[in-house]
Amino acid sequence: MVYFTICIPTRNRQSYCIEALKAIAESRETDFEVLVADNSDDPAILDDFFRNHLKDDRFRLLPPEQNVLSMVDNWERTVAEVGGRWVTIIGDDDHIEPSLIQILRRYEREYNDLEAVSWARMSYNWPDNRTIATLASVPTGHETYIPKKRILHDHLFRWSQREKRPSCGFGIYHGAVRRSLMERIKRKYSNRYFEHPTVDFDNSCKVIREAKTLVHCQRPLSVLGACGASNSASTQSFELMKKLADDFYRELGDGQPIQEDDFPFSPRLPGLAIISSIAAATWWFCRKYDVDNEGFQENFAHAAVHECLSSRTVEEYEIKVEGLRRGFAAFEGGAWSKHFNPPEVFVPSNSQNQLCGVFKGSIYIRESRLKAATPSEFYRFAQSFVMPVEHVASGRQAFAA
């Protein structure tokens, strides 16, 4: 058994996936494997790369099946093939640092019953995803924290922070989960690793409910990349968001619906795919598995206002407000509509993504001047101003020897 498995589900983004694989292959770590689950229309591209270019025993390829799989089913078959003690999933346009194994080993020595580890992530937009001004970000911390599960529960299930995204942090996506925990989740939850189409938050719900000990590392160990064909890219364009949502629904077929009948906030609402799909996943989980989420409705209404206020234009703001207002009017008989109070007059910020520098422990860098052409190149550049992995693994608190 290897110690760590990196899973990369991919569909029709072979060029990005190949860049991710080449970068990981440069690692000198040996106690890990990379499992690529290809769900693309053309299987020849990645097959050729594995046969004729990669030739690395640490890497395995799952070819496409006869029919295109939904995202949740592709993730499902990927984890079923995992050979590692710990497992993570990243996107095909992302990057991860395999030497994080050193930090995992340290945490396993220090914390009993450790089953989930999260870490800070850098963010980076590929050059083809800069249709507007964009910033890359680098968190600069390196401390270790043991969060209280009660607080994580409130953040995720009650949406207690009232922000447009709940900050739960833990889960298999850009985080490490013990394989034994994933097997326990499968036994308890419908005999599947993943159920809901919003797969990352499906898993976060289950990890936060089930993990015995969770540890967070402030040091960034992966990069959330966003290429022009990614779901993240849709935040820059209403048209692209609609297309991606339509494609997602088409490939989902007759499987698990994204939203429940009693939660009328469709990810197909213009501009609201992300907040609606996250909220729908947490609502579904709490209803199906009898999880107390008292306060969610009111908190979600306030979070929805923040979502509207993040709009880049007045038109975008008005579209979001109208879609959410219709949703709240239909949600539990309109009981929570009074808490959705977006301002009548909205003036968008003309400095959004324009200012770079240090803010709340992260460095923001204007990407129009970046020379890094891939997430891995950006990670190598950013390592010059974050704590080295080996220092974090050994518990050192300073750069100097």
Side-chain angles (χ1 to χ4, degrees):
M1 174 188 284
V2 296
Y3 187 73
F4 188 51
T5 300
I6 301 167
C7 297
I8 307 180
T10 183
R11 171 159 170 76
N12 293 341
R13 301 198 307 210
Q14 295 95 330
S15 61
Y16 303 103
C17 186
I18 287 170
E19 289 298 327
L21 297 175
K22 290 193 297 186
I24 296 171
E26 294 177 0
S27 173
R28 296 181 180 180
E29 297 285 343
T30 57
D31 203 6
F32 76 94
E33 65 173 356
V34 177
L35 185 57
V36 178
D38 188 13
N39 195 28
S40 302
D41 296 325
D42 182 358
I45 299 173
L46 283 176
D47 182 69
D48 175 73
F49 178 71
F50 268 76
R51 288 178 181 273
N52 300 313
H53 302 283
L54 189 57
K55 297 182 178 180
D56 189 323
D57 291 340
R58 298 173 298 180
F59 293 74
R60 290 192 285 145
L61 176 65
L62 297 179
E65 297 196 353
Q66 185 172 1
N67 297 313
V68 174
L69 300 173
S70 65
M71 182 184 293
V72 66
D73 287 337
N74 200 35
W75 281 41
E76 185 77 12
R77 70 158 179 157
T78 309
V79 173
E81 296 290 332
V82 164
R85 176 180 174 86
W86 289 85
V87 57
T88 189
I89 294 178
I90 65 169
D92 52 14
D93 55 353
D94 298 335
H95 177 66
I96 193 168
E97 172 55 74
S99 65
L100 68 86
I101 290 173
Q102 300 172 30
I103 297 175
L104 282 179
R105 292 188 189 278
R106 170 199 163 187
Y107 289 163
E108 278 207 280
R109 291 193 302 268
E110 294 181 357
Y111 303 103
N112 294 329
D113 296 323
L114 180 65
E115 292 191 305
V117 175
S118 68
W119 53 77
R121 303 112 179 210
M122 301 180 192
S123 66
Y124 168 87
N125 290 283
W126 286 74
D128 65 357
N129 188 35
R130 300 173 189 171
T131 57
I132 60 175
T134 58
L135 298 175
S137 67
V138 184
T140 59
H142 59 269
E143 300 288 349
T144 297
Y145 288 100
I146 314 299
K148 295 181 178 180
K149 288 188 67 172
R150 175 184 58 79
I151 295 176
L152 295 175
H153 182 289
D154 287 349
H155 287 178
L156 181 57
F157 301 127
R158 303 181 195 277
W159 219 299
S160 60
Q161 296 163 299
R162 297 187 170 187
E163 297 293 340
K164 60 180 185 175
R165 310 283 182 270
S167 63
C168 55
F170 288 91
I172 200 170
Y173 184 64
H174 282 265
V177 177
R178 279 282 297 271
R179 174 62 192 272
S180 58
L181 173 57
M182 292 301 297
E183 294 304 321
R184 200 163 76 242
I185 284 171
K186 182 178 181 181
R187 290 192 297 270
K188 182 171 181 177
Y189 297 98
S190 304
N191 199 36
R192 287 182 62 97
Y193 300 113
F194 309 101
E195 297 174 83
H196 196 275
T198 309
V199 279
D200 50 350
F201 276 86
D202 168 292
N203 181 253
S204 289
C205 289
K206 295 167 183 175
V207 166
I208 286 174
R209 286 288 288 177
E210 300 299 326
K212 296 173 184 174
T213 301
L214 307 96
V215 173
H216 175 72
C217 179
Q218 282 188 324
R219 204 280 191 185
L221 297 168
S222 61
V223 182
L224 290 162
C227 68
S230 69
N231 292 336
S232 301
S234 65
T235 59
Q236 299 184 23
S237 165
F238 268 12
E239 292 75 17
L240 180 56
M241 183 174 288
K242 182 179 184 304
K243 178 183 182 303
L244 289 171
D246 289 344
D247 290 345
F248 188 71
Y249 272 91
R250 184 178 65 255
E251 292 170 7
L252 183 62
D254 297 326
Q256 164 72 45
I258 293 181
Q259 67 188 97
E260 300 299 295
D261 291 339
D262 63 346
F263 193 74
F265 298 92
S266 171
R268 282 180 163 169
L269 290 170
L272 300 171
I274 296 176
I275 188 173
S276 295
S277 60
I278 295 172
T282 56
W283 180 262
W284 159 83
F285 181 77
C286 292
R287 288 295 172 272
K288 181 170 183 177
Y289 293 108
D290 194 25
V291 176
D292 179 15
N293 70 339
E294 183 180 357
F296 166 86
Q297 296 95 323
E298 181 178 339
N299 291 335
F300 177 62
H302 288 275
V305 173
H306 282 286
E307 174 65 45
C308 296
L309 293 174
S310 69
S311 301
R312 293 186 173 88
T313 66
V314 173
E315 179 187 16
E316 178 183 340
Y317 177 80
E318 291 174 347
I319 291 173
K320 286 183 177 181
V321 168
E322 177 59 26
L324 286 164
R325 187 165 280 144
R326 289 199 307 269
F328 279 107
F331 184 34
E332 297 189 339
W336 309 101
S337 294
K338 62 184 178 181
H339 298 286
F340 179 66
N341 294 310
E344 291 186 13
V345 177
F346 171 69
V347 179
S349 170
N350 59 10
S351 63
Q352 194 167 34
N353 286 355
Q354 297 286 343
L355 302 177
C356 56
V358 180
F359 181 69
K360 292 185 178 179
S362 291
I363 299 174
Y364 293 87
I365 302 167
R366 189 175 295 117
E367 290 184 307
S368 61
R369 299 187 180 183
L370 268 181
K371 294 182 179 179
T374 66
S376 62
E377 289 182 10
F378 178 68
Y379 181 84
R380 287 195 295 271
F381 160 72
Q383 283 199 106
S384 61
F385 38 90
V386 296
M387 185 71 74
V389 167
E390 58 270 21
H391 285 25
V392 180
S394 66
R396 290 171 63 177
Q397 297 295 308
F399 285 90

